[in-house]
Amino acid sequence: MPAEPVAAVIGAPLFIISNPRLVIEQCKAGVIGAMPALNARPASQLDEWLAEIARPRGARCRAPDRPAAPFAVNQIVHKSNDRLDHDMAVVAKHKVPIVISSLGRAPTSTTRSIATAAWCCTT
């Protein structure tokens, strides 16, 4: 296996199915683990889930011979998502390395709130 990855593989952020355990296992396997923010219900659970994902990244989320892959949160940026501002604040708090936006374009105020993350936009 090459020392540096040759392609990024992102685990699909599956509605209802993706959760912290799945994201952690994807990261351990070298795949960018991803989940939709809206899977965390109620909204306050997102903070707990991101803390759970981040906590093991130094130990459990790492194979002995290689670092764990980063993780991503998928944000539905459609105007019908009344949790977007809350969820983006939680994503910024946890310094999520990759944010996937779907079903619309992220507003400028949203992108400024997490300027340190990489963005992947889908339609």
Side-chain angles (χ1 to χ4, degrees), residues 37-118:
L38 292 175
N39 280 8
R41 296 178 194 165
S44 60
Q45 189 177 47
L46 182 60
D47 188 48
E48 297 165 20
W49 280 15
L50 293 178
E52 182 180 345
I53 292 166
R55 185 172 32 255
R57 291 185 56 74
R60 287 188 309 166
C61 205
R62 178 179 296 254
D65 59 336
R66 63 178 190 249
F71 66 100
V73 170
N74 181 38
Q75 289 287 9
I76 304 300
V77 295
H78 190 268
K79 62 183 177 182
S80 64
N81 181 4
D82 59 358
R83 281 181 41 178
L84 182 61
D85 290 336
H86 167 271
D87 290 353
M88 291 302 290
V90 175
V91 164
K93 172 185 171 185
H94 288 278
K95 298 180 178 155
V96 173
I98 301 169
V99 176
I100 302 167
S101 66
S102 56
L103 297 177
R105 286 184 67 179
T108 303
S109 61
T110 301
T111 55
R112 281 191 195 128
S113 72
I114 58 165
T116 58

